[in-house]
Amino acid sequence: MSTAPDSNSPYAVPALRRQYQQAAADEQAGRRFHQLLSAYTDRDAVVLAYKAASEAIMAKHTGGLFDKMDRVKAASKQFDAAVALAPQHPEVRFLRFTIESNLPGFLGASKHVDEDRAFLVQVAMKHPRSGLDAESFDVMRDFLLAHSHVTGEEAAQLKRM
């Protein structure tokens, strides 16, 4: 895995994190996010995970079913590459989880949801010794809670953190 991009890079993780949130909610932001990440050619696992997420987001804005499926398959391959580079990196696994947990089941592209959910809950419960910065933790915790990806007991513990 290469060194993470510096803070002046268009691929700096804090900036990508904010752009991802915008891209998930807005088509134009999604297109800009995808355009930016399409040009990325290095091998940083976190940036590759954002690149995969941008591909999956574009599936929402693509025409026919086959085009959507091609985008989902491309995103899946990119996520596989990112996870292979950093299998224990919480943000990489979180990005894959956010995408796969929102895909329709009939696509058969959500094969890591249970594994990633368990990993993320375990990581979250260790915070602040989780390896996540405060912003990453807040985003992950809020997603897990808002989308009911945790048990009642886990939710109560996360809300106290």
Side-chain angles (χ1 to χ4, degrees), residues 87-161:
Q88 298 301 309
H89 196 293
E91 194 157 2
V92 170
R93 298 281 292 272
F94 174 69
L95 288 165
R96 181 172 71 177
F97 179 75
T98 63
I99 296 299
E100 285 191 4
S101 67
N102 281 298
L103 291 173
F106 72 85
L107 294 178
S110 300
K111 57 188 175 226
H112 306 102
V113 169
D114 292 335
E115 168 193 339
D116 287 346
R117 187 201 81 75
F119 175 81
L120 294 170
V121 169
Q122 182 182 32
V123 166
M125 295 302 178
K126 292 178 183 175
H127 194 72
R129 295 175 310 282
S130 63
L132 290 169
D133 61 44
E135 181 184 27
S136 296
F137 172 76
D138 289 345
V139 169
M140 186 174 79
R141 180 194 58 209
D142 294 349
F143 182 86
L144 291 170
L145 291 170
H147 298 278
S148 303
H149 290 299
V150 291
T151 66
E153 184 179 318
E154 291 166 342
Q157 192 171 354
L158 286 172
K159 286 176 184 175
R160 289 191 300 268
M161 300 176 94

Side-chain angles (χ1 to χ4, degrees), residues 20-41:
Y20 171 63
Q21 291 173 338
Q22 294 167 352
D26 176 71
E27 181 177 352
Q28 290 305 81
R31 292 186 184 284
R32 287 189 304 272
F33 187 58
H34 182 260
Q35 184 176 11
L36 169 69
L37 286 160
S38 291
Y40 184 75
T41 58

